[in-house]
PDB file of all heavy atoms in Angstrom:
ATOM      1  N   GLU A 131     -53.144   9.846   8.351  1.00 98.00           N
ATOM      2  CA  GLU A 131     -53.944   9.928   9.523  1.00 98.00           C
ATOM      3  C   GLU A 131     -54.488  11.316   9.845  1.00 98.00           C
ATOM      4  O   GLU A 131     -55.652  11.561  10.086  1.00 98.00           O
ATOM      5  CB  GLU A 131     -53.221   9.376  10.693  1.00 98.00           C
ATOM      6  CG  GLU A 131     -54.065   8.753  11.797  1.00 98.00           C
ATOM      7  CD  GLU A 131     -53.194   8.106  12.876  1.00 98.00           C
ATOM      8  OE1 GLU A 131     -52.182   7.485  12.579  1.00 98.00           O
ATOM      9  OE2 GLU A 131     -53.613   8.251  14.078  1.00 98.00           O
ATOM     10  N   ILE A 132     -53.499  12.270   9.752  1.00 98.00           N
ATOM     11  CA  ILE A 132     -53.935  13.649  10.018  1.00 98.00           C
ATOM     12  C   ILE A 132     -54.850  14.160   8.899  1.00 98.00           C
ATOM     13  O   ILE A 132     -55.877  14.827   9.164  1.00 98.00           O
ATOM     14  CB  ILE A 132     -52.696  14.604  10.193  1.00 98.00           C
ATOM     15  CG1 ILE A 132     -51.901  14.165  11.465  1.00 98.00           C
ATOM     16  CG2 ILE A 132     -53.090  16.078  10.273  1.00 98.00           C
ATOM     17  CD1 ILE A 132     -50.587  14.972  11.718  1.00 98.00           C
ATOM     18  N   LYS A 133     -54.465  13.798   7.709  1.00 96.00           N
ATOM     19  CA  LYS A 133     -55.327  14.296   6.555  1.00 96.00           C
ATOM     20  C   LYS A 133     -56.778  13.797   6.638  1.00 96.00           C
ATOM     21  O   LYS A 133     -57.740  14.530   6.473  1.00 96.00           O
ATOM     22  CB  LYS A 133     -54.658  13.746   5.259  1.00 96.00           C
ATOM     23  CG  LYS A 133     -54.539  15.001   4.334  1.00 96.00           C
ATOM     24  CD  LYS A 133     -53.949  14.733   3.057  1.00 96.00           C
ATOM     25  CE  LYS A 133     -54.899  15.259   2.045  1.00 96.00           C
ATOM     26  NZ  LYS A 133     -55.014  16.500   1.581  1.00 96.00           N
ATOM     27  N   LYS A 134     -56.834  12.596   7.071  1.00 96.00           N
ATOM     28  CA  LYS A 134     -58.195  11.907   7.181  1.00 96.00           C
ATOM     29  C   LYS A 134     -58.978  12.580   8.347  1.00 96.00           C
ATOM     30  O   LYS A 134     -60.137  12.747   8.245  1.00 96.00           O
ATOM     31  CB  LYS A 134     -57.936  10.389   7.438  1.00 96.00           C
ATOM     32  CG  LYS A 134     -59.051   9.584   6.779  1.00 96.00           C
ATOM     33  CD  LYS A 134     -58.630   8.045   6.919  1.00 96.00           C
ATOM     34  CE  LYS A 134     -59.622   7.392   7.937  1.00 96.00           C
ATOM     35  NZ  LYS A 134     -59.096   6.052   8.208  1.00 96.00           N
ATOM     36  N   GLY A 135     -58.235  12.863   9.421  1.00 95.00           N
ATOM     37  CA  GLY A 135     -58.944  13.411  10.538  1.00 95.00           C
ATOM     38  C   GLY A 135     -59.156  14.923  10.551  1.00 95.00           C
ATOM     39  O   GLY A 135     -59.890  15.494  11.394  1.00 95.00           O
ATOM     40  N   GLY A 136     -58.461  15.567   9.635  1.00 92.00           N
ATOM     41  CA  GLY A 136     -58.551  17.049   9.518  1.00 92.00           C
ATOM     42  C   GLY A 136     -59.639  17.521   8.650  1.00 92.00           C
ATOM     43  O   GLY A 136     -60.177  16.796   7.819  1.00 92.00           O
ATOM     44  N   GLY A 137     -59.911  18.850   8.763  1.00 92.00           N
ATOM     45  CA  GLY A 137     -60.883  19.499   7.840  1.00 92.00           C
ATOM     46  C   GLY A 137     -60.161  20.452   6.954  1.00 92.00           C
ATOM     47  O   GLY A 137     -58.928  20.670   7.056  1.00 92.00           O
ATOM     48  N   SER A 138     -60.921  21.046   6.049  1.00 91.00           N
ATOM     49  CA  SER A 138     -60.300  21.962   5.084  1.00 91.00           C
ATOM     50  C   SER A 138     -59.813  23.162   5.842  1.00 91.00           C
ATOM     51  O   SER A 138     -60.424  23.604   6.829  1.00 91.00           O
ATOM     52  CB  SER A 138     -61.342  22.287   4.038  1.00 91.00           C
ATOM     53  OG  SER A 138     -62.310  23.020   4.607  1.00 91.00           O
ATOM     54  N   SER A 139     -58.761  23.735   5.340  1.00 85.00           N
ATOM     55  CA  SER A 139     -58.128  24.824   6.073  1.00 85.00           C
ATOM     56  C   SER A 139     -57.604  25.927   5.087  1.00 85.00           C
ATOM     57  O   SER A 139     -57.124  25.588   4.005  1.00 85.00           O
ATOM     58  CB  SER A 139     -56.944  24.273   6.971  1.00 85.00           C
ATOM     59  OG  SER A 139     -56.110  25.315   7.206  1.00 85.00           O
ATOM     60  N   SER A 140     -57.683  27.036   5.608  1.00 78.00           N
ATOM     61  CA  SER A 140     -56.957  28.182   4.894  1.00 78.00           C
ATOM     62  C   SER A 140     -55.956  28.707   5.780  1.00 78.00           C
ATOM     63  O   SER A 140     -55.368  29.782   5.443  1.00 78.00           O
ATOM     64  CB  SER A 140     -58.026  29.165   4.456  1.00 78.00           C
ATOM     65  OG  SER A 140     -58.706  29.641   5.612  1.00 78.00           O
ATOM     66  N   GLY A 141     -55.677  28.050   6.897  1.00 82.00           N
ATOM     67  CA  GLY A 141     -54.784  28.486   7.892  1.00 82.00           C
ATOM     68  C   GLY A 141     -53.313  28.387   7.424  1.00 82.00           C
ATOM     69  O   GLY A 141     -53.025  27.641   6.503  1.00 82.00           O
ATOM     70  N   THR A 142     -52.410  29.011   8.129  1.00 86.00           N
ATOM     71  CA  THR A 142     -50.983  28.871   7.799  1.00 86.00           C
ATOM     72  C   THR A 142     -50.295  28.485   9.179  1.00 86.00           C
ATOM     73  O   THR A 142     -50.879  28.572  10.269  1.00 86.00           O
ATOM     74  CB  THR A 142     -50.365  30.209   7.356  1.00 86.00           C
ATOM     75  OG1 THR A 142     -50.759  31.255   8.278  1.00 86.00           O
ATOM     76  CG2 THR A 142     -50.971  30.591   5.939  1.00 86.00           C
ATOM     77  N   CYS A 143     -49.055  28.147   9.003  1.00 90.00           N
ATOM     78  CA  CYS A 143     -48.271  27.762  10.158  1.00 90.00           C
ATOM     79  C   CYS A 143     -46.947  28.558  10.043  1.00 90.00           C
ATOM     80  O   CYS A 143     -46.521  29.021   9.012  1.00 90.00           O
ATOM     81  CB  CYS A 143     -47.903  26.234  10.162  1.00 90.00           C
ATOM     82  SG  CYS A 143     -49.438  25.247  10.137  1.00 90.00           S
ATOM     83  N   ASP A 144     -46.390  28.678  11.247  1.00 89.00           N
ATOM     84  CA  ASP A 144     -45.122  29.390  11.397  1.00 89.00           C
ATOM     85  C   ASP A 144     -44.011  28.476  10.899  1.00 89.00           C
ATOM     86  O   ASP A 144     -43.760  27.467  11.550  1.00 89.00           O
ATOM     87  CB  ASP A 144     -44.950  29.743  12.894  1.00 89.00           C
ATOM     88  CG  ASP A 144     -43.698  30.552  13.188  1.00 89.00           C
ATOM     89  OD1 ASP A 144     -43.003  30.852  12.217  1.00 89.00           O
ATOM     90  OD2 ASP A 144     -43.494  30.841  14.390  1.00 89.00           O
ATOM     91  N   SER A 145     -43.329  28.889   9.878  1.00 92.00           N
ATOM     92  CA  SER A 145     -42.268  28.026   9.397  1.00 92.00           C
ATOM     93  C   SER A 145     -40.877  28.124  10.192  1.00 92.00           C
ATOM     94  O   SER A 145     -40.056  27.323  10.125  1.00 92.00           O
ATOM     95  CB  SER A 145     -41.950  28.310   7.900  1.00 92.00           C
ATOM     96  OG  SER A 145     -41.435  29.590   7.709  1.00 92.00           O
ATOM     97  N   ASP A 146     -40.940  29.170  11.041  1.00 96.00           N
ATOM     98  CA  ASP A 146     -39.698  29.331  11.927  1.00 96.00           C
ATOM     99  C   ASP A 146     -39.577  28.094  12.774  1.00 96.00           C
ATOM    100  O   ASP A 146     -38.418  27.749  13.164  1.00 96.00           O
ATOM    101  CB  ASP A 146     -39.901  30.669  12.803  1.00 96.00           C
ATOM    102  CG  ASP A 146     -39.668  31.811  11.943  1.00 96.00           C
ATOM    103  OD1 ASP A 146     -39.270  31.691  10.841  1.00 96.00           O
ATOM    104  OD2 ASP A 146     -39.824  32.862  12.561  1.00 96.00           O
ATOM    105  N   VAL A 147     -40.628  27.592  13.271  1.00 96.00           N
ATOM    106  CA  VAL A 147     -40.525  26.385  14.206  1.00 96.00           C
ATOM    107  C   VAL A 147     -39.922  25.218  13.497  1.00 96.00           C
ATOM    108  O   VAL A 147     -39.218  24.428  14.152  1.00 96.00           O
ATOM    109  CB  VAL A 147     -41.961  26.093  14.813  1.00 96.00           C
ATOM    110  CG1 VAL A 147     -42.976  25.723  13.812  1.00 96.00           C
ATOM    111  CG2 VAL A 147     -41.866  25.158  15.902  1.00 96.00           C
ATOM    112  N   LEU A 148     -40.111  25.076  12.242  1.00 97.00           N
ATOM    113  CA  LEU A 148     -39.501  24.033  11.393  1.00 97.00           C
ATOM    114  C   LEU A 148     -37.994  24.402  11.279  1.00 97.00           C
ATOM    115  O   LEU A 148     -37.158  23.406  11.537  1.00 97.00           O
ATOM    116  CB  LEU A 148     -40.126  23.930   9.980  1.00 97.00           C
ATOM    117  CG  LEU A 148     -39.411  22.964   9.041  1.00 97.00           C
ATOM    118  CD1 LEU A 148     -39.575  21.544   9.568  1.00 97.00           C
ATOM    119  CD2 LEU A 148     -39.922  23.093   7.663  1.00 97.00           C
ATOM    120  N   SER A 149     -37.658  25.567  11.051  1.00 97.00           N
ATOM    121  CA  SER A 149     -36.184  25.931  11.015  1.00 97.00           C
ATOM    122  C   SER A 149     -35.563  25.687  12.296  1.00 97.00           C
ATOM    123  O   SER A 149     -34.406  25.215  12.349  1.00 97.00           O
ATOM    124  CB  SER A 149     -36.054  27.378  10.606  1.00 97.00           C
ATOM    125  OG  SER A 149     -36.907  27.728   9.490  1.00 97.00           O
ATOM    126  N   ASP A 150     -36.274  26.039  13.405  1.00 97.00           N
ATOM    127  CA  ASP A 150     -35.686  25.852  14.730  1.00 97.00           C
ATOM    128  C   ASP A 150     -35.382  24.316  14.892  1.00 97.00           C
ATOM    129  O   ASP A 150     -34.302  23.947  15.508  1.00 97.00           O
ATOM    130  CB  ASP A 150     -36.671  26.239  15.778  1.00 97.00           C
ATOM    131  CG  ASP A 150     -36.777  27.745  15.884  1.00 97.00           C
ATOM    132  OD1 ASP A 150     -35.947  28.456  15.270  1.00 97.00           O
ATOM    133  OD2 ASP A 150     -37.648  28.257  16.657  1.00 97.00           O
ATOM    134  N   SER A 151     -36.268  23.458  14.473  1.00 97.00           N
ATOM    135  CA  SER A 151     -36.088  22.066  14.658  1.00 97.00           C
ATOM    136  C   SER A 151     -34.909  21.549  13.883  1.00 97.00           C
ATOM    137  O   SER A 151     -34.077  20.777  14.367  1.00 97.00           O
ATOM    138  CB  SER A 151     -37.313  21.228  14.300  1.00 97.00           C
ATOM    139  OG  SER A 151     -37.530  21.127  12.981  1.00 97.00           O
TER     140      SER A 151
END
Side-chain angles (χ1 to χ4, degrees):
E131 206 175 322
I132 295 177
K133 228 176 126 90
K134 217 171 109 190
S138 66
S139 160
S140 55
T142 54
C143 301
D144 182 1
S145 66
D146 286 354
V147 65
L148 175 65
S149 312
D150 287 352
S151 73

